[in-house]
């Protein structure tokens, strides 16, 4: 017998229009856009109509709104969301790499409207995009000229294509690397239209290997920073000076993909020394490429420095137009480069360097302050301990250097299901309005506090665990 309309809960569900009139939905509409919320609300009502039967209680309006919110959280599609990076990896590619300094954020906002990005205010004619940063980059690297493209992968593509399309490029077998996230040297070579010529062996390559590889169709020599892996032990690489001699002896350019490309000598902070772009140029490289958002600490960009002639050739390649950066990137990059003029400001204001150089005792003190409140918040089923941890710089910078760090180790009490419980907690933390990202090791959730600049704000956000 069909239920009468008065008792059938399906008939008492609100219509889509009525549901959308709920004021509490305004926040969701702001976050997701009206179209997405209406689509999700329609799906929710449809699924309730099939699930409810005559005995069911009809959800109240606030309950429907909560269900809708639940369906939308964790769903992608509202743009990148800020997160707490407590992974211990400072330059984390999946978490947006370098957090930008306040001055760069302000510069991006200021440039967001109309700006003189390609307009010469003096003459009133067309301007050059690169001029907003070229002088700054040249001052910091000693280069004659510089240009900027979308990222370092684009920089490599542009350089190879400009100087060696249809030609051979000898590269040491020890440098044919894959950098996480699908950047592989042999693939990018092919796409640039070059023929890769492998020279030497994985662990040892000699100057004579390059000399023997030179032919009438060689276009350039190319060196790659191995980034996220290291060859140790019985190894030999050809110095940039020797490679420059071979290249120039044949009238060809030498380019070095430096990867992270720090602009300051990290050995000043007790870290292994990385080659600087200025060293690479002084040693004879004609072109050096590096990322804007790795150790440099700026926005995503690929920076190319070198001789005026080589940079001019890059600017004439139509690919440069396809790979160009926008006004927001240029504004942020200029602001970050300006910090490099002043050591004291650099360390206090540039998040990447501040986080990398943060002393472990500082981090431990912060962890000790947080452990109690976090334990209170999580309740009796959890144990929260302060623990020593090892952070990494990330993004291929100094892969073998660990930084002494500290943080919280959270484990479930009780004998069984501890792994599952910790995974569930990790998932809950990812569903917070500002997600908290840690890592799991041996059934413990580890929150490395190296990148935590505001403990009070984190605690406040963790309060969200009480009211799911
Ligand atoms: C990271 C890296 C790249 C890619 O740089 P993106 O800025 O991520 O495009 C290329 N080459 C090397 C050696 C790298 O370390």
């Amino acid at each position: 017998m069909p239920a009468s309309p008065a008792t059938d809960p399906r008939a008492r569900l609100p219509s889509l229009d009525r549901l959308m009139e709920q004021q509490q939905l305004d926040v969701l509409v702001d976050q997701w856009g009206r179209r997405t919320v209406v689509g999700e609300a329609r799906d929710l009502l449809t699924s309730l109509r099939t699930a409810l039967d005559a005995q069911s209680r009809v959800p109240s309006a606030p309950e429907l709104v909560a269900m809708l919110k639940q369906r939308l959280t964790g769903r992608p599609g509202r743009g990148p969301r800020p997160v707490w990076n407590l992974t211990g990896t400072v330059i984390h590619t999946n978490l947006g790499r370098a957090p930008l300094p306040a001055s760069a954020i302000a510069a991006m906002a200021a440039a967001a409207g109309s700006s003189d990005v390609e307009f010469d205010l003096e003459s009133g004619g067309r301007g050059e995009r690169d001029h907003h940063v070229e002088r700054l980059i040249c001052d910091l690297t000693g280069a004659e000229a510089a240009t900027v493209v979308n990222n370092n992968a684009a920089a490599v593509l542009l350089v190879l294509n400009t100087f060696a399309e249809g030609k051979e490029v000898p590269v040491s077998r020890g440098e044919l690397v894959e950098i996480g996230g699908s950047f592989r040297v042999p693939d990018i070579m092919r796409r640039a239209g070059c023929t890769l010529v492998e020279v030497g062996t994985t662990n040892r390559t000699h100057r004579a290997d390059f000399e023997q590889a030179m032919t009438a169709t060689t276009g350039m020599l190319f060196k790659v920073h191995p980034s996220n892996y290291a060859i140790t032990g019985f190894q030999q690489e050809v110095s940039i000076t020797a490679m420059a001699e071979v290249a120039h002896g044949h009238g060809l350019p030498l380019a070095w993909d430096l990867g992270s490309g720090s602009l300051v000598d990290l050995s000043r902070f007790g870290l292994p020394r990385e080659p600087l772009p200025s060293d690479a140029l002084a040693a004879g490289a004609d072109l050096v490429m590096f990322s804007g958002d790795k150790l440099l600490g700026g926005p995503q960009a690929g920076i190319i420095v070198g001789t005026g002639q080589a940079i001019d050739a890059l600017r004439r390649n139509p690919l440069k137009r396809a790979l160009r950066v926008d006004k927001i990137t240029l504004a942020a990059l200029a602001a970050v480069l300006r910090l490099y003029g002043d050591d004291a400001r650099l360390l206090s204001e540039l998040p990447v360097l501040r986080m990398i150089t943060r002393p472990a005792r500082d981090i431990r003190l912060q962890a000790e302050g947080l452990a109690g409140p976090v334990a209170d918040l999580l309740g009796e089923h959890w144990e929260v301990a302060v623990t020593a941890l090892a952070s990494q710089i990330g993004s291929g910078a100094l892969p073998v250097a660990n930084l002494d760090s500290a943080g919280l180790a959270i484990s479930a009490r009780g004998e069984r299901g501890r792994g599952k419980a910790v995974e569930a907690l990790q998932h809950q933390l990812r569903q917070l309005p500002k997600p908290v990202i840690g890592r799991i090791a041996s059934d413990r959730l580890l929150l490395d506090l190296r990148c935590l600049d505001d403990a009070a704000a984190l605690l406040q956000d963790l309060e969200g665990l009480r009211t799911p």
Side-chain angles (χ1 to χ4, degrees), residues 97 151-153 179 183 224-225 227 257 259-260 291 293-294 301:
R97 290 205 181 152
N151 53 23
N152 191 34
I179 319 282
F183 177 87
V224 185
H225 190 300
S227 296
D257 173 12
S260 209
S291 290
D293 56 356
K294 292 184 181 172

Side-chain angles (χ1 to χ4, degrees), residues 41-62:
R42 184 182 292 117
D43 291 350
L44 173 66
L45 291 175
T46 307
S47 70
L48 285 174
R49 279 197 189 96
T50 19
L52 297 181
D53 58 32
Q55 276 75 45
S56 307
R57 191 179 68 81
V58 179
S60 67

